[in-house]
Structure formats: structure tokens, C-alpha cells
Amino acid sequence: MAVGLSSEKNVGRRLREARVARALELDRAAQETRIHRKFLEALERDAPPEDFPAPMYARAFLREYARYLGLDPEPLVDSYRMNHLEPEPPLRPPVPIERSSAAWVGTTLALVSVAALLAIAVFAGPREDRPMPRVASPPTSPSPSPPTVAGERTKEQPRGVLLTIRVTERPSWINVIRDGKDLLRRTLEPGTERTFRDRRQLDFVIGDAGAVRVILNGKRLGALGDDGQVFTGSAVLRKGKARLTSDS
């Protein structure tokens, strides 16, 4: 049964009371959750989504903070949504042209392959009317391998966006979103690595940018900020190349 608005109206007050009841200071809560203190303060005053990097991050921080305080996060998130209504994101338009083009190319390639096989069968068949004399073939040496061009890529490049997040020095809170849905929302320990893929875009938040290294489509980007800094950005595919954008 959904919790009514009246019983959960002030989400910030519930968070603050739970923290005080546990005798926790904000600095300690920020250190243990890896969520910046200013965002915890915003949650406790029931701040609107505009006070966070993006609305989805307000809900993500709320879930993480509620679990840390021993509260059930879902009723609080539902109440927060009701108190701070936001427009639904626009749907991505379908791309029938790309699908039909790909199907046409596949059909054409299949027809060309069949024609090539038939031509090989005709020319390679037996020709009894013109027997060939036997000639001793000289010993053949193995064909040399073609030279490798400097800088040539031997591995197939990933299609779309391939994002790898690696936690190094300290634990860090990580949130990765695809099409508005959380793929990851938790604190990762040092030595942990996670990889995510999408055709067009991945949004993500790093709670401690100095403790995390990022790799985008095989390119090492390193740390995206200083120790303790919250990084908010997106990995997007533009003109066939994966790029990193920052909202921080």
C-alpha cells in the first residue's frame, strides 16, 4: 500500500530525525556514504531537484542516505516525487531508416556473395577439352606476412559507448544511468571495476572523483576531479565517436 503524502510529507525531517537519533554528525555521514555534505544538507531540508546535479541524482542520493540511516527508502522516494513533481523525459524517436538501410545492405551483400560463389564454381570446374601437361613445380617458400602499419588497430573498436569505472585509492559512491534507469547505484571498494555499454549515452555520478579512474572506449581518461569532488557527466556517442561531457 502506497504511503500517503500527509504521513511522509517532510522527507527532510524524517532523515534529520533518524540521523540525530543515531547520534551521527553530518561530516561522518558524508564520509561513510561518500555523498558530499552539501547534498546531505539539501536532502535534510527537503530541497527541490534543482539543488542537485540532476533530478535523478536527488533520488539516488535519497535512497543511499535512507538505507544508511536504516530507513525504508522507497516510501521516502515516492513522497519526494509527489512533493517535487517533474516533467517526464521525452521519448527517443524511432529510427526506421537505419533499420531498413541495414536490412537492404544485408540483402545486397547476400546476393553478391551467392553470385561470387557461382562464378567461382564455373571457372574452377573441370575443363576436359584442354588437358594441361604435368610440369614439376619448384619448391615454394612461405609467403611473407604483410607488414604491420604503425598505429594500426588490431582490435575491433566497440560500437556505441563502452564505459569502464575503476575505483583505486578509496571507496567511492557510483551511480550509472541508462535511459533513466539505474544500472549501478552503490559504494564500490578499492580494486573494484565495472564496465557498462550503450548504443548512444550513459549518464553517471562519481562521489569521489579523485579515487576513481575512467576508461571510455579504450581511452584512459584518468581521474575526473580532485579528492572528495563529486563529478557528474555523460558518455555520449557523437558523429561516430564516444565523448565525455561534464555537468559538474
Side-chain angles (χ1 to χ4, degrees):
M1 177 176 177
V3 180
L5 178 61
S6 58
S7 61
E8 294 284 354
K9 184 173 183 180
N10 195 328
V11 175
R13 183 176 60 198
R14 289 291 309 280
L15 296 173
R16 185 169 57 256
E17 289 175 352
R19 177 177 59 80
V20 172
R22 289 173 172 261
L24 293 171
E25 297 293 335
L26 269 176
D27 288 336
R28 178 181 173 185
Q31 181 180 5
E32 294 182 350
T33 61
R34 296 292 174 180
I35 301 175
H36 200 283
R37 176 186 172 123
K38 69 177 181 180
F39 294 133
L40 297 184
E41 292 175 340
L43 290 173
E44 289 194 0
R45 69 172 184 270
D46 205 18
E50 291 76 14
D51 286 13
F52 298 86
M56 66 182 69
Y57 303 138
R59 298 191 296 270
F61 289 155
L62 175 56
R63 283 191 179 94
E64 189 75 10
Y65 193 31
R67 291 193 186 99
Y68 170 75
L69 296 174
L71 302 174
D72 184 3
E74 296 310 320
L76 295 175
V77 173
D78 291 340
S79 179
Y80 187 85
R81 289 177 186 270
M82 296 175 66
N83 293 338
H84 306 286
L85 297 178
E86 58 187 77
E88 293 293 331
L91 297 176
R92 292 180 178 176
V95 285
I97 296 179
E98 294 181 5
R99 297 194 190 101
S100 60
S101 175
W104 178 85
V105 171
T107 303
T108 303
L109 290 177
L111 294 176
V112 171
S113 299
V114 172
L117 291 174
L118 291 175
I120 292 173
V122 170
F123 287 102
R127 302 178 66 178
E128 298 179 356
D129 57 327
R130 300 174 63 183
M132 299 293 293
R134 291 186 176 181
V135 179
S137 301
T140 58
S141 58
S143 301
S145 301
T148 302
V149 180
E152 181 181 3
R153 295 182 180 179
T154 57
K155 295 183 179 180
E156 182 181 357
Q157 293 300 302
R159 296 180 179 179
V161 176
L162 185 65
L163 178 68
T164 299
I165 295 178
R166 181 181 301 159
V167 182
T168 55
E169 289 86 356
R170 301 172 300 280
S172 177
W173 187 85
I174 306 293
N175 186 202
V176 180
I177 305 100
R178 178 173 61 195
D179 292 332
K181 297 181 179 179
D182 290 330
L183 300 180
L184 175 69
R185 187 185 67 248
R186 58 178 299 183
T187 298
L188 299 182
E189 296 298 321
T192 306
E193 180 177 300
R194 294 288 187 272
T195 299
F196 308 90
R197 182 190 297 270
D198 188 63
R199 290 180 56 194
R200 297 182 180 179
Q201 179 170 338
L202 291 168
D203 304 312
F204 62 99
V205 179
I206 298 176
D208 187 349
V212 176
R213 303 296 181 266
V214 174
I215 303 174
L216 180 59
N217 282 37
K219 182 178 181 181
R220 298 178 182 273
L221 304 181
L224 302 181
D226 298 328
D227 294 347
Q229 178 182 352
V230 177
F231 179 88
T232 304
S234 301
V236 298
L237 188 69
R238 292 179 179 173
K239 297 181 179 180
K241 292 185 178 180
R243 303 176 186 274
L244 182 69
T245 63
S246 172
D247 301 331
S248 301

